[in-house]
Amino acid sequence: MIKTEKICKSFGEQKAVNEVSLTIGDNSIFGLAGTNGAGKSTLLRMFSGVLKPDSGKLNIDGKTVFENTHMKQEIFFLPDTAWFFRNATGEDMAEYYSMFFPKYNKKRFDSLMDKIGLDKKRKISTFSKGMKRQTALILGICAGTKYLFCDETFDGLDPVMRQAAKSILAYEVSDREFTPVIASHNLRELEDICDHVGLLHKGGVLLSKDVEEMRLNIHKVQCVIPDPADEERLLKELHVMQYEKRLSLLTMVVRGKRQEILEKIDEMEPLFAEAIPLTLEEIFISETEVAGYDIRQLFS
Amino acid sequence: MTSGSFFLKNLKDQMKKNIPLMILLFLAFLAVLPINAVIRMEAAKGYSSDTLFYETMGESLRAVSYEFFRTVGTGNSLLIFVMIAAGILMALIHFSYLHSGEKMDFYHSLPIRRNDLFLVRTLGSVISVLIPYFFSLLLAYAAGAAYGAMTFMAFKTSLIMTGFHLLYFLVFYETAALAVLLTGNLFTAVLGTVGLLVYAPALRTVQYMLNSLFFHTLSDFKDTDWEQFLSPLFAYSGIPVNIENQLPVGKYAVYGVVLAVLLAVLCLAVYKIRPSESYHRSIAFEKLQPVIKVAVVLPASLLLAVSFTGYMSSHKFLWFVASLAFCLLIFSSMVEFLYTMDIRKSLKPKTSTGVLAVLLGIIAVGYHVDVLGVDSYLPEKEKIESMSVYINSIEDKYRDSMDLDMKSTAALLKENRIENFDDIYKIAEVGVDYYKDKTEDDKSQNYYEEETMVSVYVGFHLTSGKNVYRRYLIPETEELTASVENIYNSWEYRQQVLPTSYIDFSKAEYLYTEDFVQTGEQVDAKGDAMENIYKTYKGELEGMTFAQASEERIIGYLCIREKENEDGIEKYYRLPVYENFDKTRELLEKAGSPMPVDFDVDEVLQIQLYNYKETGDNGGLYSNYKVTDTEELKVILKNLSCAEARYSIDSDYNYGYNVEIYWKDQDRVSDMSYILKDTPDTRRIMEKMAPENSD
């Protein structure tokens, strides 16, 4: 488990991470969302032991990470721009990593490279940007570490590869003790893979919630209620976070269980009623608006 | 995995990555060792026959063997350069990842401690140098053997030098590594490396220059023995010289080891606390920026300001302050620009610039007013155990005539101590009084129209064990002459300065004479006869009073050549013979080497008199007079003395005039220099000198 308590990191006068308190449970895929400069990369670098927090507490499995080689054997960091040795092949890099990570699985590396269609004996410097990212991801997954910190890893991957990468991560989580933390500025990239998402803004955490829980408790519904009085009553009875009325179509974002919401709408004898799935971005918009932020401005 | 095997695996991997560097190093070593050896041995074959030998470390070597010995041992400056360059270059390459965000993410996220990262690279680099070096050395041995030049001495010396090469390679490697760790980009890392290597000598130079600009009496004797340890660059270059001269080199080994350990500890400590995010910054530690700025700008400003002020002839302090202010602004802005890469920011006033201004102000004023009392230094007599004195006017008369065994003034002052020092103390008092109101502008005065100046070095050997030295250039007054006379007339002083006290005559092989008419005639005397001449001379020299030494003419020299010592050196002494040394001259005459007091005017064709008089505006006036009149020639010849007589206090010799004698017998050659006594008769002749030209 990763636990931070009010950790801070400044670069000169710039506060990159400001009193972040987070808890990331084991065996889940954690998405770290936020705009550029929100502090995602800095946070991941602190998780990986690259940077030392200026203040606050950072423990992974109850231990500090910075200069703790024992702990770092359980951590693999995939930065946004992965670096490889000059003239190194994928195989060379796997060989190098296996020196540091005792559980490194070279066989799995060979098999994954084959499956994805990457030549492990080809110099990485001749790969495209996407291929380099794929190679880095495979190298990271095969390290056999408990934690994998990915910084904008899916950026630059084609949709098919992105899906494949997500599947590999999901498989690893189900197969062994594995907790990937994926940082991205794109909420859509995180929504179909993460179990839990934290939103960073200006170095601080705006919110951190379980995606499924958010999805179960928040719904977007559209309906047409013939009687304006019923409509008025419905808006009062439901925990409406947002609503909009265009002609007779009422669109609401409502907190609560889907069944309970639809039952209440049915009582008003609607001409039409349906529940539409919310994107992660929409959920965040709603949640952050409640917290007093306008997320559309954050991501605009 | 055990930490040992993990370290070895890492080391192996590092060695693999060093292969391209090792190839480059091998090519460099190949050029400076075997190829260089072959070229030098081939050249030695060409310019010498087998009979040409060199003395090295007490052994005679054939020219070819000598060249081989020097190439693999003590005379290969190219090898030293390659080692220094390799150390610096490898460290810059090995730790360049600290200047890159991507590489830092890579290395610092790996489960390896920073200490291990440093140690693996350092050890890897030493092995990477050792392997190609040894291969090249073996090839050089093979070449030496092929030329028949391989000797045990060359083998032994090359192994000793190998140890030093590797040790100092490590020192330079760690110095550059420390510079990389303290900085955030390659440019400042290179500057930092240079800075670390030359900082201490630069500070010492600044101190010397300030002392020489502001102080009149400070005898800042350079002591190369410890000053070479101010930088590994100097120490490393000094090792071969010491080995060749069979001087101990243990201190270089101790210095190298201490420095290597110290630098390693510093590197590890700095790396441990170095923020990973400091790449692309000029200085890795933000808090160090003002400290480094002060440390760099302060000596740089002083150095430039002192150099500039040195060219000024008046108002030196004003020029010094103005140039200091200018340098401060320029250097501060330059350093700030290096930190920020922003011209506007670099021009903004900073606290560190204020601190610098205050420090420079304190230093400038401190030196100007002589806050430490350097020129007025005169300890209480009770605190002095003994004193020493070096009076150029007396001692240079003898020391300038020796071609070997010249001791430095510093060494003489340290050794020749006098416990009855009242008169030396008086001279020091006169000196302190003379310089009481002098400013740095007075230092420009290098001509003294009306006064004869006397140069005196004084050493204070305090009861506390401290030694303090001063040099006074003071006018020749009756008071001073009386003090010098008292000093000279005391046997305690004379026995230390007269050459007869330190010449070991048992080593003498031949005697020669030089006089007005000939140079280098061997005296036909051996054994007791030779010793008798020397002992007689010794008695006359040691019995001569101060007044005689000042006024008597020197009419020639008694020269002693010693037997060749174990180093193959023949010492040669040239001792002045005064006109009143009748007994010595009598014995020389008996031995067939007469030393006439005068010579016949009929032998002289003419005498040319020259004079150069400084005019004070950085120029001077030449004048000359050709003496052909017999009467005038007689006057000149009667007052002629050998040039060493110029070293006299309270004498009438006029050392401003040069005298050149043209003999009727054109085959007569004498390289003697002469000086003329200032008498009413000679003055009348000298007044006839006509200006030649001026500059």
Side-chain angles (χ1 to χ4, degrees):
Chain A
M1 187 172 71
I2 301 168
K3 195 170 164 66
T4 71
E5 276 176 45
K6 293 187 172 181
I7 56 166
C8 299
K9 183 74 192 174
S10 300
F11 302 126
E13 286 168 12
Q14 178 84 31
K15 277 201 164 179
V17 169
N18 189 18
E19 297 198 345
V20 167
S21 297
L22 262 182
T23 302
I24 300 173
D26 287 345
N27 272 55
S28 67
I29 303 179
F30 190 91
L32 206 54
T35 51
N36 292 328
K40 305 183 297 290
S41 301
T42 306
L43 199 58
L44 287 191
R45 282 188 172 89
M46 285 195 281
F47 287 174
S48 315
V50 174
L51 299 178
K52 191 179 181 183
D54 294 338
S55 61
K57 278 186 187 170
L58 164 62
N59 289 315
I60 297 183
D61 292 343
K63 290 167 191 157
T64 56
V65 188
F66 190 77
E67 285 289 88
N68 182 348
T69 50
H70 190 69
M71 193 62 243
K72 279 165 97 173
Q73 283 182 343
E74 292 297 339
I75 293 167
F76 197 97
F77 177 46
L78 282 176
D80 51 351
T81 321
W83 183 78
F84 306 99
F85 294 120
R86 189 176 297 170
N87 295 328
T89 63
E91 202 173 32
D92 294 337
M93 291 306 298
E95 186 65 41
Y96 185 75
Y97 280 126
S98 66
M99 209 160 60
F100 297 96
F101 298 99
K103 287 182 268 180
Y104 204 92
N105 191 339
K106 281 194 262 183
K107 278 185 187 165
R108 180 144 167 77
F109 172 77
D110 293 347
S111 117
L112 282 174
M113 287 293 273
D114 282 347
K115 276 183 191 164
I116 287 174
L118 291 171
D119 184 357
K120 65 183 181 196
K121 292 190 185 296
R122 188 173 146 192
K123 283 182 185 172
I124 299 175
S125 56
T126 64
F127 283 178
S128 70
K129 189 183 166 192
M131 288 159 88
K132 282 180 186 165
R133 281 185 180 270
Q134 290 166 34
T135 310
L137 183 63
I138 293 169
L139 283 165
I141 284 167
C142 297
T145 53
K146 188 176 169 188
Y147 298 97
L148 178 70
F149 301 133
C150 309
D151 192 4
E152 310 277 2
T153 302
F154 300 109
D155 191 30
L157 295 184
D158 61 59
V160 178
M161 191 53 222
R162 193 178 300 167
Q163 202 47 53
K166 285 173 183 175
S167 305
I168 295 169
L169 286 182
Y171 172 78
E172 292 290 325
V173 172
S174 63
D175 187 53
R176 62 182 174 98
E177 208 179 0
F178 186 54
T179 308
V181 177
I182 302 163
S184 178
H185 61 276
N186 191 344
L187 281 167
R188 287 189 191 93
E189 231 170 42
L190 299 175
E191 66 180 324
D192 54 346
I193 185 167
C194 295
D195 307 316
H196 204 104
V197 174
L199 180 64
L200 283 183
H201 180 59
K202 288 185 179 170
V205 181
L206 276 188
L207 58 91
S208 170
K209 288 203 171 177
D210 190 280
V211 175
E212 203 50 42
E213 193 187 308
M214 278 195 283
R215 281 211 171 107
L216 286 174
N217 279 301
I218 193 160
H219 301 276
K220 186 178 182 178
V221 286
Q222 287 183 328
C223 57
V224 177
I225 309 291
D227 185 351
D230 286 344
E231 188 181 283
E232 193 73 20
R233 197 152 48 89
L234 184 67
L235 284 170
K236 278 180 184 165
E237 282 179 11
L238 291 173
H239 189 168
V240 178
M241 297 169 76
Q242 270 181 2
Y243 78 94
E244 190 183 34
K245 193 171 176 194
R246 282 190 187 169
L247 298 174
S248 56
L249 181 68
L250 182 64
T251 306
M252 298 176 288
V253 176
V254 183
R255 201 183 283 278
K257 302 270 184 265
R258 188 174 186 272
Q259 194 55 39
E260 287 169 9
I261 295 164
L262 287 175
E263 274 172 13
K264 281 197 175 159
I265 293 172
D266 281 346
E267 283 173 18
M268 307 299 164
E269 294 172 355
L271 295 175
F272 159 77
E274 69 168 350
I276 304 164
L278 253 75
T279 63
L280 195 58
E281 192 172 322
E282 284 171 317
I283 295 172
F284 266 101
I285 289 167
S286 310
E287 290 283 3
T288 50
E289 271 181 1
V290 171
Y293 289 91
D294 183 354
I295 201 166
R296 277 166 293 206
Q297 280 182 6
L298 301 185
F299 283 91
S300 60
Chain B
M1 197 177 344
T2 64
S3 60
S5 67
F6 174 67
F7 189 84
L8 283 177
K9 266 191 164 185
N10 257 292
L11 187 60
K12 203 174 140 192
D13 181 77
Q14 183 61 40
M15 296 299 302
K16 256 167 65 183
K17 291 188 172 63
N18 282 353
I19 287 174
L21 276 173
M22 284 164 78
I23 293 169
L24 269 178
L25 279 172
F26 180 66
L27 291 175
F29 288 135
L30 201 67
V32 301
L33 276 169
I35 295 175
N36 190 17
V38 169
I39 291 170
R40 286 169 73 164
M41 287 189 290
E42 200 58 38
K45 261 171 67 185
Y47 66 66
S48 73
S49 69
D50 271 357
T51 52
L52 189 52
F53 284 88
Y54 289 91
E55 287 292 332
T56 303
M57 296 168 67
E59 273 189 39
S60 298
L61 291 177
R62 283 190 305 125
V64 174
S65 303
Y66 175 76
E67 286 303 330
F68 175 72
F69 163 81
R70 302 254 305 151
T71 313
V72 297
T74 56
N76 198 338
S77 46
L78 278 174
L79 181 57
I80 288 179
F81 173 78
V82 168
M83 282 294 182
I84 295 171
I88 293 172
L89 198 70
M90 283 181 90
L92 291 177
I93 293 171
H94 279 169
F95 294 97
S96 64
Y97 71 88
L98 293 167
H99 296 161
S100 152
E102 288 90 12
K103 291 180 190 175
M104 193 92 87
D105 282 343
F106 177 80
Y107 283 109
H108 286 178
S109 63
L110 291 173
I112 178 169
R113 267 190 291 271
R114 293 178 175 205
N115 284 1
D116 291 334
L117 272 173
F118 175 80
L119 292 174
V120 163
R121 275 165 169 68
T122 305
L123 191 58
S125 67
V126 173
I127 300 170
S128 303
V129 162
L130 188 67
I131 292 169
Y133 173 80
F134 256 122
F135 267 111
S136 306
L137 191 62
L138 287 176
L139 287 173
Y141 285 160
Y147 276 80
M150 186 74 192
T151 59
F152 175 70
M153 193 170 69
F155 177 71
K156 192 179 112 185
T157 310
S158 70
L159 287 186
I160 294 170
M161 282 308 294
T162 298
F164 279 114
H165 288 318
L166 291 175
L167 179 61
Y168 278 82
F169 164 83
L170 183 63
V171 168
F172 290 110
Y173 181 89
E174 288 176 340
T175 306
L178 183 63
V180 176
L181 285 163
L182 288 170
T183 57
N185 61 49
L186 182 65
F187 182 66
T188 45
V190 172
L191 285 182
T193 307
V194 175
L196 286 172
L197 289 174
V198 303
Y199 192 70
L203 281 185
R204 186 74 175 140
T205 306
V206 169
Q207 192 201 3
Y208 273 127
M209 291 175 81
L210 280 169
N211 288 349
S212 94
L213 178 68
F214 286 98
F215 298 143
H216 296 263
T217 65
L218 196 63
S219 291
D220 220 351
F221 297 118
K222 282 221 173 199
D223 191 347
T224 49
D225 197 42
W226 72 265
E227 281 186 350
Q228 62 184 322
F229 295 110
L230 287 175
S231 167
L233 283 173
F234 301 149
Y236 187 28
S237 334
I239 297 166
V241 183
N242 272 44
I243 290 180
E244 264 192 30
N245 293 331
Q246 290 180 283
L247 295 169
V249 285
K251 58 190 173 187
Y252 294 97
V254 171
Y255 170 75
V257 169
V258 168
L259 206 56
V261 171
L262 188 72
L263 283 166
V265 170
L266 265 175
C267 285
L268 291 171
V270 170
Y271 197 5
K272 202 171 178 182
I273 56 168
R274 186 183 191 275
S276 297
E277 65 272 20
S278 55
Y279 54 88
H280 297 320
R281 269 194 218 153
S282 289
I283 303 296
F285 300 89
E286 216 166 344
K287 284 181 183 169
L288 268 188
Q289 285 188 356
V291 179
I292 290 173
K293 181 179 161 185
V294 171
V296 169
V297 174
L298 189 90
S301 302
L302 286 169
L303 195 69
L304 216 69
V306 174
S307 308
F308 175 74
T309 309
Y311 289 103
M312 300 298 124
S313 53
S314 57
H315 307 298
K316 284 192 172 187
F317 185 65
L318 279 178
W319 281 114
F320 180 67
V321 172
S323 52
L324 211 52
F326 177 75
C327 292
L328 168 65
L329 291 176
I330 296 294
F331 287 133
S332 289
S333 304
M334 279 168 70
V335 173
E336 286 296 339
F337 180 74
L338 209 63
Y339 289 166
T340 58
M341 287 292 155
D342 184 323
I343 289 182
R344 277 186 198 172
K345 280 186 185 170
S346 67
L347 294 174
K348 275 185 184 171
K350 296 274 185 327
T351 314
S352 52
T353 312
V355 170
L356 271 164
V358 171
L359 286 175
L360 288 172
I362 291 170
I363 292 170
V365 173
Y367 267 94
H368 180 59
V369 302
D370 189 6
V371 73
L372 297 175
V374 170
D375 282 338
S376 57
Y377 180 80
L378 193 66
E380 289 167 25
K381 274 187 175 180
E382 292 72 37
K383 290 180 180 170
I384 303 171
E385 193 174 86
S386 63
M387 286 183 78
S388 48
V389 65
Y390 187 97
I391 306 164
N392 296 71
S393 307
I394 295 174
E395 296 179 44
D396 288 356
K397 200 183 292 186
Y398 308 112
R399 303 219 173 255
D400 267 12
S401 300
M402 284 189 286
D403 62 351
L404 281 165
D405 219 15
M406 278 284 285
K407 278 188 179 171
S408 67
T409 310
L412 289 167
L413 283 173
K414 208 171 179 181
E415 290 168 14
N416 297 344
R417 300 182 180 204
I418 292 167
E419 282 172 15
N420 185 13
F421 54 77
D422 284 350
D423 285 295
I424 305 175
Y425 195 85
K426 267 186 204 165
I427 293 177
E429 280 178 325
V430 170
V432 168
D433 192 50
Y434 180 72
Y435 285 105
K436 199 165 56 189
D437 301 318
K438 302 271 185 204
T439 68
E440 49 281 341
D441 281 356
D442 297 313
K443 291 204 87 181
S444 306
Q445 189 186 358
N446 50 15
Y447 69 98
Y448 300 88
E449 202 165 334
E450 301 301 327
E451 293 171 315
T452 300
M453 304 302 287
V454 178
S455 166
V456 184
Y457 288 86
V458 169
F460 301 93
H461 309 292
L462 307 181
T463 48
S464 63
K466 193 179 162 194
N467 296 319
V468 182
Y469 302 101
R470 290 289 182 270
R471 186 222 174 195
Y472 307 107
L473 188 64
I474 38 182
E476 187 185 291
T477 58
E478 281 181 19
E479 185 190 6
L480 179 76
T481 305
S483 294
V484 172
E485 185 168 5
N486 288 340
I487 292 168
Y488 186 86
N489 289 340
S490 80
W491 178 240
E492 192 184 8
Y493 170 78
R494 236 173 33 252
Q495 69 170 347
Q496 290 175 353
V497 300
L498 292 181
T500 46
S501 61
Y502 50 77
I503 290 174
D504 181 2
F505 193 73
S506 64
K507 292 178 183 171
E509 192 166 24
Y510 299 110
L511 288 182
Y512 299 87
T513 57
E514 290 176 24
D515 55 42
F516 289 133
V517 293
Q518 60 80 30
T519 305
E521 186 181 286
Q522 190 180 326
V523 179
D524 187 15
K526 282 195 171 176
D528 290 345
M530 192 169 81
E531 195 174 346
N532 194 27
I533 294 171
Y534 176 73
K535 277 186 175 169
T536 306
Y537 171 82
K538 188 172 183 274
E540 286 187 312
L541 182 74
E542 289 175 357
M544 195 167 58
T545 62
F546 174 76
Q548 286 171 320
S550 301
E551 288 307 317
E552 294 284 341
R553 292 194 297 148
I554 295 175
I555 54 150
Y557 297 92
L558 179 68
C559 308
I560 300 167
R561 181 173 294 284
E562 285 188 357
K563 290 167 203 158
E564 189 180 305
N565 65 15
E566 65 264 18
D567 297 327
I569 295 163
E570 293 174 347
K571 286 184 181 174
Y572 188 76
Y573 301 98
R574 201 161 161 260
L575 311 173
V577 176
Y578 289 82
E579 59 180 327
N580 66 336
F581 283 13
D582 295 333
K583 289 175 187 165
T584 306
R585 289 198 301 112
E586 196 179 313
L587 288 174
L588 284 172
E589 195 167 354
K590 274 185 190 170
S593 299
M595 192 175 285
V597 173
D598 296 306
F599 50 90
D600 194 349
V601 71
D602 294 337
E603 292 175 27
V604 177
L605 183 68
Q606 65 172 52
I607 290 176
Q608 186 95 32
L609 298 175
Y610 298 97
N611 184 30
Y612 176 78
K613 198 174 182 183
E614 285 180 344
T615 52
D617 49 358
N618 288 331
L621 200 64
Y622 286 102
S623 51
N624 71 75
Y625 177 58
K626 205 181 282 178
V627 187
T628 50
D629 177 73
T630 311
E631 285 312 307
E632 284 184 344
L633 283 173
K634 278 181 183 171
V635 170
I636 299 287
L637 294 174
K638 202 177 145 190
N639 290 288
L640 210 57
S641 172
C642 294
E644 269 64 26
R646 70 180 179 272
Y647 299 118
S648 294
I649 294 174
D650 194 29
S651 85
D652 291 329
Y653 286 100
N654 196 328
Y655 45 82
Y657 294 90
N658 286 323
V659 183
E660 202 173 327
I661 301 174
Y662 294 87
W663 304 93
K664 283 180 181 167
D665 177 4
Q666 290 184 0
D667 292 336
R668 179 180 286 183
V669 179
S670 171
D671 54 6
M672 194 81 81
S673 303
Y674 307 101
I675 197 165
L676 200 57
K677 205 169 191 174
D678 193 10
T679 65
D681 290 340
T682 56
R683 210 173 301 134
R684 260 197 304 277
I685 298 168
M686 286 188 271
E687 277 165 7
K688 292 181 181 178
M689 294 177 86
E692 197 177 58
N693 57 8
S694 64
D695 63 2

